[in-house]
Amino acid sequence: MSEAAVSAVRAVDLAVGDLEAARTFFTQVWNLQVVAEEGGIVYLRAGNPDFAALTLRASGGDQSALVRVVLQARDRAAVDTVYERVCAEGCDTDGAPRKLATPGGGYGFGCKDPEGRNFAVIGDTAVHADTLKSPDVPAKLSHVNLNCRDNDASFGFMTRAFGFKLSDQTRQFRFIRCNSDHHSLVLGFNDNANLNHIAFEIAGIDALMRGIGRMRDHGHAVEWGPGRHGPGNNVFAYFCGPGELPLEYTGEMEQVAPDFAPAKRPEDWKWPPGRLDHWGLTPGPSARVKAAQARFQFTVDGHRLDG
Ligand SMILES: [Fe+2]
C-alpha cells in the first residue's frame, strides 16, 4: 500500500469499573471535554477537531478493559480497501463497512487482529469546527502501545492490512507510523496480547510539567518520568489512571518524512548503565506502572461496533 489507508490512531474506547469516577478524572484531571453521551457511552474530545479521542462506558463489573482502538481511515474508499485486506488476512470482522449511527458517525467496521485485539476502522467521521487552544488540553491521542505474544504476526498484519510503516525497532518494541508522527502504534515483544499504555499528546515540556502537577494534586503520582525517549525523541510522563489504566502524557514527537526508514538496528538502541532515557533525571518505571502495563485486557466482543 503506497499511501497508508489509515491516517491516524484516533481514539480508544474504554469499559470502566466506575464510570462516574472515570468521567471526573478524564474531564477534570486529564483535561478532555465531553461532547456527547448516548446509550450509556460518554464521548470525550481532545484539542484537535476530531469528534472524540476517548469513549467511556460501564464495564458492568469491577474490572476495566479496553474495548477497542479506533483507526481513522483517509476516506470511505480506504475503509473498503482495509476491509478487503483484513478479510484476506483471515481475521474476524463484524461485517462489511456501513454507515454508523453513533455520535461522530462515519463509515466503518470492526475487526480483530491476529492476536485477538479489537480495532475499528472508520472514515468520513464528523469533526468539530474549532480547536481547543489551551496547552494544558491534550491535543490528540498520540499513540497506543500494545503488548504482543507474536510481534511478527501483529506487525505483519498492521503493515499489510492497515498500511503502517516501521519507524524504529528496539529489543523491546517495534514503533510503527501512519502519518508524520514517528509512531502511532507500538508493538511490544512480550508474553501477552493486551494494552501496555495509552499516550495523549500535550503541547511541550511546560504543559507536560503542569500535567504532572495536576495529576499529583489529584493523587496520581508520576510513575515514570519526566524524560525524553530514544525512538521518537518524545518527552514523557507515565501514570496509573482510574482502574490502574496505564497512561502517558507525551509531547514533541519526532516528525518524519514518508520515506523515513530505521537508521538503527535493535542492538544499537542501548542506554548507558542506569539510564533509560536521554535526560537521566528519572529512575526507571515504578513497579506499580509495570504491573499496570501488563494487566489491561481487551473485551471479548469489542470488535462488534453495533453490539
Ligand atoms: Fe508511549
Side-chain angles (χ1 to χ4, degrees):
M1 196 177 290
S2 57
E3 186 181 54
V6 167
S7 57
V9 176
R10 178 172 60 80
V12 287
D13 294 340
L14 295 176
V16 295
D18 186 336
L19 180 58
E20 285 313 306
R23 180 210 300 259
T24 300
F25 170 83
F26 278 107
T27 54
Q28 297 181 18
V29 186
W30 201 249
N31 262 0
L32 303 178
Q33 290 189 5
V34 173
V35 291
E37 188 165 359
E38 186 178 298
I41 301 174
V42 183
Y43 296 75
L44 300 106
R45 72 173 288 189
N48 76 359
D50 288 343
F51 183 78
L54 177 77
T55 74
L56 302 170
R57 71 198 69 189
S59 66
D62 294 336
Q63 291 291 314
S64 297
L66 189 56
V67 177
R68 64 180 71 91
V69 177
V70 180
L71 305 179
Q72 183 72 31
R74 291 197 178 277
D75 49 32
R76 287 186 174 222
V79 176
D80 291 335
T81 297
V82 174
Y83 177 72
E84 289 170 12
R85 290 173 182 265
V86 169
C87 291
E89 294 284 329
C91 290
D92 286 345
T93 76
D94 69 343
R98 66 271 181 194
K99 200 169 185 303
L100 302 173
T102 43
Y107 173 83
F109 69 98
C111 67
K112 284 195 174 284
D113 76 3
E115 298 198 77
R117 292 171 296 238
N118 308 317
F119 284 83
V121 180
I122 305 177
D124 202 20
T125 45
V127 292
H128 300 286
D130 62 344
T131 57
L132 305 178
K133 300 289 188 194
S134 167
D136 292 333
V137 172
K140 65 177 184 178
L141 182 67
S142 168
H143 59 272
V144 179
N145 186 316
L146 300 170
N147 300 318
C148 301
R149 283 196 187 91
D150 190 338
N151 191 298
D152 288 344
S154 288
F155 174 65
F157 174 80
M158 303 298 170
T159 53
R160 291 188 300 267
F162 297 152
F164 280 82
K165 292 179 179 177
L166 182 67
S167 288
D168 270 308
Q169 182 173 343
T170 67
R171 288 165 294 172
Q172 279 186 294
F173 300 108
R174 278 184 166 119
F175 298 82
I176 60 177
R177 71 180 184 278
C178 59
N179 54 42
S180 63
D181 285 350
H182 175 275
H183 56 272
S184 296
L185 283 179
V186 185
L187 305 175
F189 292 88
N190 340 77
D191 58 0
N192 211 333
N194 55 5
L195 176 68
N196 187 286
H197 65 269
I198 299 164
F200 284 80
E201 183 178 295
I202 197 158
I205 293 169
D206 189 68
L208 183 98
M209 293 298 190
R210 288 171 182 272
I212 291 173
R214 196 167 55 247
M215 290 288 281
R216 282 174 58 95
D217 287 346
H218 291 83
H220 300 274
V222 61
E223 302 289 342
W224 185 29
R228 186 180 286 280
H229 282 308
N233 202 39
N234 45 318
V235 294
F236 66 85
Y238 290 83
F239 310 93
C240 293
E244 293 298 283
L245 178 69
L247 288 170
E248 178 188 3
Y249 272 145
T250 192
E252 302 187 350
M253 175 73 80
E254 181 180 359
Q255 298 297 294
V256 300
D259 62 351
F260 179 82
K264 289 185 172 183
R265 299 165 298 174
E267 56 268 33
D268 294 330
W269 287 107
K270 275 188 181 170
W271 297 108
R275 280 291 195 95
L276 285 174
D277 81 304
H278 281 302
W279 292 345
L281 295 173
T282 177
S286 69
R288 180 181 176 186
V289 78
K290 281 186 183 175
Q293 290 178 341
R295 64 174 286 277
F296 222 87
Q297 305 296 334
F298 280 77
T299 62
V300 174
D301 291 328
H303 64 306
R304 302 188 192 284
L305 300 189
D306 305 316

